[in-house]
Amino acid sequence: MGTEAMFAVKGKDFVIIAADAMTAFSVMKLKDDYDKIWEVEGKLFAASGPSADASNFMEFIEKNINLHTLRTGLKLSTKASANYTRNELAQSLRKKGSYQTDLLIGGVDADGPKLYFMDYMGSSESVNKAAHGYGAMFTFGLMDRYWKPDMELEEAKDIIRKC
């Protein structure tokens, strides 16, 4: 967990994800226009951690999910995408070079919106609201207070603005 912040909220028929755009190394700010959110086949993946790990891991995941679709002609559901991503993250722990990447994965399938919280150790959980990074320590209370089932998009945007 660094100085980064990513937030996500699941609503009635949507998932909204927001992330800061800063990358840092130790106490040095390296960049302030880094996009931490990837769109992969209609799903949103927000990845934080060392920028090399996050971008390499997300490129790997994106290419393999696209390859699956090309081979089978079927798109993965949000749950299947999250399970595949979790498995690859867990597999990398057993290899010499693991990815120090925390993720939020969201999408809307035929059975409704889904949001997954995943840490760099490969643990994954389906959640209604999520946050990663240093900002998470300050915003979980806000999310607990204002989140409600079947919330509308404007209500979710308001929560994200508060975070």
Side-chain angles (χ1 to χ4, degrees):
M1 173 175 39
T3 58
E4 301 168 326
M6 300 188 310
F7 313 107
V9 176
K10 180 174 82 170
K12 182 170 63 174
D13 55 0
F14 65 90
V15 173
I16 186 169
I17 296 178
D20 72 331
M22 184 187 74
T23 59
F25 179 74
S26 183
V27 296
M28 294 182 296
K29 180 178 175 180
L30 300 177
K31 197 173 179 186
D32 63 0
D33 62 349
Y34 179 66
D35 191 6
K36 297 177 185 175
I37 301 175
W38 282 262
E39 190 272 325
V40 181
E41 292 197 352
K43 289 137 194 76
L44 293 177
F45 288 71
S48 69
S51 57
D53 281 358
S55 62
N56 285 336
F57 183 68
M58 278 312 306
E59 286 176 14
F60 172 75
I61 293 298
E62 179 180 26
K63 301 305 182 216
N64 280 285
I65 288 175
N66 289 339
L67 179 62
H68 174 272
T69 301
L70 287 171
R71 284 182 174 168
T72 65
L74 302 170
K75 289 190 176 189
L76 291 177
S77 67
T78 305
K79 182 177 181 179
S81 296
N83 285 334
Y84 171 74
T85 303
R86 191 214 67 78
N87 186 51
E88 290 301 323
L89 204 51
Q91 291 286 336
S92 77
L93 288 171
R94 296 175 184 89
K95 297 178 182 172
K96 197 171 192 173
S98 63
Y99 298 102
Q100 301 295 309
T101 305
D102 294 322
L103 296 128
L104 299 175
I105 302 170
V108 179
D109 298 323
D111 57 343
K114 303 282 187 238
L115 176 61
Y116 292 89
F117 175 94
M118 195 173 303
D119 71 2
Y120 71 98
M121 297 297 285
S123 65
S124 176
E125 184 67 32
S126 177
V127 295
N128 294 318
K129 54 199 176 299
H132 266 302
Y134 191 68
M137 296 191 304
F138 302 105
T139 58
F140 276 126
L142 284 170
M143 290 182 169
D144 287 339
R145 178 178 175 144
Y146 294 108
W147 184 86
K148 59 186 180 192
D150 296 327
M151 66 188 323
E152 297 296 327
L153 181 59
E154 287 306 315
E155 294 171 306
K157 285 181 184 179
D158 187 49
I159 291 175
I160 295 295
R161 280 187 208 101
K162 288 176 179 166
C163 290

